[in-house]
Amino acid sequence: YDQANVIAGQGTIGLEFLEQVPDLDAILVPTSGGGMLSGIAVAVHGQRSDGSCRVHAVEPMGKRLGDAFREGERIIDPLRANIALDTVCDAMPTRCLGALPWELAHSRKL
């Protein structure tokens, strides 16, 4: 999730959405480490730089991604950084985005 080639591969999801639904105006992306979120955001922005399709992160309670976006920096609690979130969504347990996904997602103002 924190590698450019993985993020680029995940971005093809966004391209497929836009191809299948040409007037799509929003995409909700489940967010763990941020590879899928940042890949889709970069791809959609590349196709729709006018902002006609917004990408929104969907996060489990406790992730604090919304707080991080508002504060403009990753929120990492060193005492809990490596402890998985207690969530029913077992595919989304990480507490914060990876460094590269954070940079890409934050620069797209998600």
Side-chain angles (χ1 to χ4, degrees), residues 25-108:
D25 64 352
I27 299 174
L28 305 178
V29 183
T31 304
S32 187
M36 185 171 14
L37 173 66
S38 58
I40 290 173
V42 168
V44 168
H45 181 76
Q47 296 294 309
R48 301 271 190 89
S49 59
D50 64 354
S52 62
C53 183
R54 299 272 314 180
V55 176
H56 301 277
V58 178
E59 61 179 326
M61 187 180 302
K63 189 172 197 72
R64 301 192 59 207
L65 181 57
D67 294 338
F69 283 151
R70 278 188 294 283
E71 293 178 23
E73 61 186 7
R74 293 168 65 206
I75 297 175
I76 303 172
D77 176 353
L79 299 176
R80 304 191 73 188
N82 293 319
I83 300 171
L85 291 170
D86 182 20
T87 175
V88 297
C89 186
D90 61 0
M92 297 170 58
T94 60
R95 292 194 176 269
C96 67
L97 300 187
L100 183 55
W102 164 260
E103 183 180 321
L104 293 168
H106 185 255
S107 70
R108 299 298 181 289

